[in-house]
Amino acid sequence: MNNLQPVFMKLEKVPCLVVGGGKIALQKIHQLIDSKAMVTVVSPKISESIHSLPVTAVNRCYQTGDLDGIRLVIAATDNNKVNRQVYLDSQKNSIPVNVVDQPE
């Protein structure tokens, strides 16, 4: 039995955070931009493809304070420990979060 439910959200002008700066993050960032979200990307390494987009790019490791004012979070790193921390911090702050390719 699947206990997951797809959810649609209106994201126009909504501050969203993507943690990760690679290919998987790029796909999610494009979706957020298409939804007219205000996107911040945090990662120690951010691809040039992401830097060329209308996002706020922060070249450093994720910090809990990055969630301040954020309404949706996407954890899109290849580091399970970082993704888990982003998930736990988001849950603690009642912010919807998607951990890419790790639905549990």
Side-chain angles (χ1 to χ4, degrees):
M1 177 177 207
N2 183 356
N3 62 355
L4 299 175
Q5 185 65 38
V7 175
F8 293 91
M9 300 173 68
K10 183 174 182 175
L11 296 175
E12 186 173 357
K13 298 182 183 177
V14 172
C16 299
L17 174 68
V18 176
V19 180
K23 289 188 297 187
I24 295 171
L26 180 61
Q27 294 170 343
K28 295 296 184 176
I29 292 165
H30 278 296
Q31 293 170 350
L32 292 170
I33 290 170
D34 288 347
S35 298
K36 298 184 172 52
M38 299 176 356
V39 182
T40 298
V41 179
V42 174
S43 180
K45 294 180 183 178
I46 299 176
S47 73
E48 286 302 316
S49 299
I50 293 172
H51 275 292
S52 70
L53 296 173
V55 301
T56 300
V58 181
N59 282 95
R60 64 163 167 70
C61 293
Y62 164 78
Q63 300 171 3
T64 303
D66 293 332
L67 298 179
D68 293 346
I70 296 297
R71 304 260 312 274
L72 175 70
V73 178
I74 298 176
T77 78
D78 58 2
N79 184 319
N80 289 337
K81 185 176 179 182
V82 172
N83 288 345
R84 179 83 177 147
Q85 189 62 54
V86 171
Y87 171 80
L88 292 172
D89 292 345
S90 299
Q91 289 293 294
K92 185 167 46 170
N93 289 284
S94 300
I95 302 169
V97 60
N98 171 248
V99 180
V100 176
D101 293 334
Q102 295 176 343
E104 67 279 355

